[in-house]
Amino acid sequence: MKGLVLNQYYSVGKSLWNYIALSVVITAILLFTQNEMLMQFAAWLPLFFMITPALEVLKHESMSGWSKFVLTLPLKRREVVQSHYLFYSMMIIIGLIITVVLFMVADSIIGQVMTDSAVYKMMNGVGLVLIAGLLNYPLTYQLGTEKSDGILVFSIMAAVGAFLLSSWLFEILLGAVSLDALQGMNLDMLFSGSFLAVSLVLFIASYVIALYVFKRKEF
């Protein structure tokens, strides 16, 4: 497993470090604008930048022939799929660490940056990239790596669409609940926590689907 993850890192290592540098520079600029909308992008940008090389791994493996060669090694297909999900999860964690560190640095310089609202935006960002991942892997295994670019764009758009739909449904649900029941509740935290929890459960479930597809795939 460790070797598979390292192989993925080395196949996109240069791209990964470029995305880290870009995310640090662009996010820092967005934070210092102190514009509310741009701050939201700042909370999401490193996460989306970090998952991009993780998803590029499948295309690199196909182009180099590694996706066929790895099946000749004494490895189970389950381990191959697990390594992709593990690498993707590691990229999310790195993206989250970059985001938190940049927000804390900006907060120490200009203040009022690392707020509760910023934390909820980060939670929403993690939920978004989990949705992008849960769509990407099963679809790429099923449709082929030659369509990976289109699948990546679709998965990101679908993740944003799922977030907007969830926000809309949450507003409707709140409208159906009495105001007395909502007193004292942090609604932003409730939505962000629920969105993140559901996204995480679906991401784990998508591993089962991706493994099912990959086991039956003929190369």
Side-chain angles (χ1 to χ4, degrees), residues 127 130-131 134 166 192-204:
L130 286 173
I131 292 175
L134 72 88
S166 299
S192 298
S194 302
F195 181 69
L196 177 58
V198 172
S199 301
L200 181 59
V201 170
L202 293 177
F203 181 73
I204 295 171

Side-chain angles (χ1 to χ4, degrees), residues 65-148:
W66 171 260
S67 56
K68 297 178 182 177
F69 177 73
V70 71
L71 299 179
T72 66
L73 299 175
L75 294 168
K76 296 179 180 178
R77 293 197 176 199
R78 170 175 52 80
E79 294 175 295
V80 176
V81 177
Q82 282 179 352
S83 69
H84 284 292
Y85 273 75
L86 177 59
F87 188 65
Y88 188 86
S89 300
M90 292 169 65
M91 293 302 103
I92 292 177
I93 293 172
I94 292 173
L96 185 59
I97 291 172
I98 292 172
T99 307
V100 171
V101 169
L102 289 174
F103 268 73
M104 291 180 70
V105 171
D107 188 77
S108 66
I109 297 174
I110 58 179
Q112 297 298 314
V113 175
M114 194 60 182
T115 60
D116 289 346
S117 176
V119 174
Y120 303 147
K121 289 181 175 66
M122 293 177 201
M123 293 169 67
N124 294 337
V126 174
L128 281 166
V129 293
L130 286 173
I131 292 175
L134 72 88
L135 292 172
N136 213 286
Y137 285 106
L139 286 176
T140 303
Y141 287 142
Q142 178 66 35
L143 301 177
T145 53
E146 62 276 7
K147 298 180 180 177
S148 59

Side-chain angles (χ1 to χ4, degrees), residues 34-46:
Q34 293 188 289
N35 178 279
E36 184 63 25
M37 182 176 292
L38 295 181
M39 296 279 278
Q40 174 135 339
F41 282 118
W44 293 359
L45 195 65

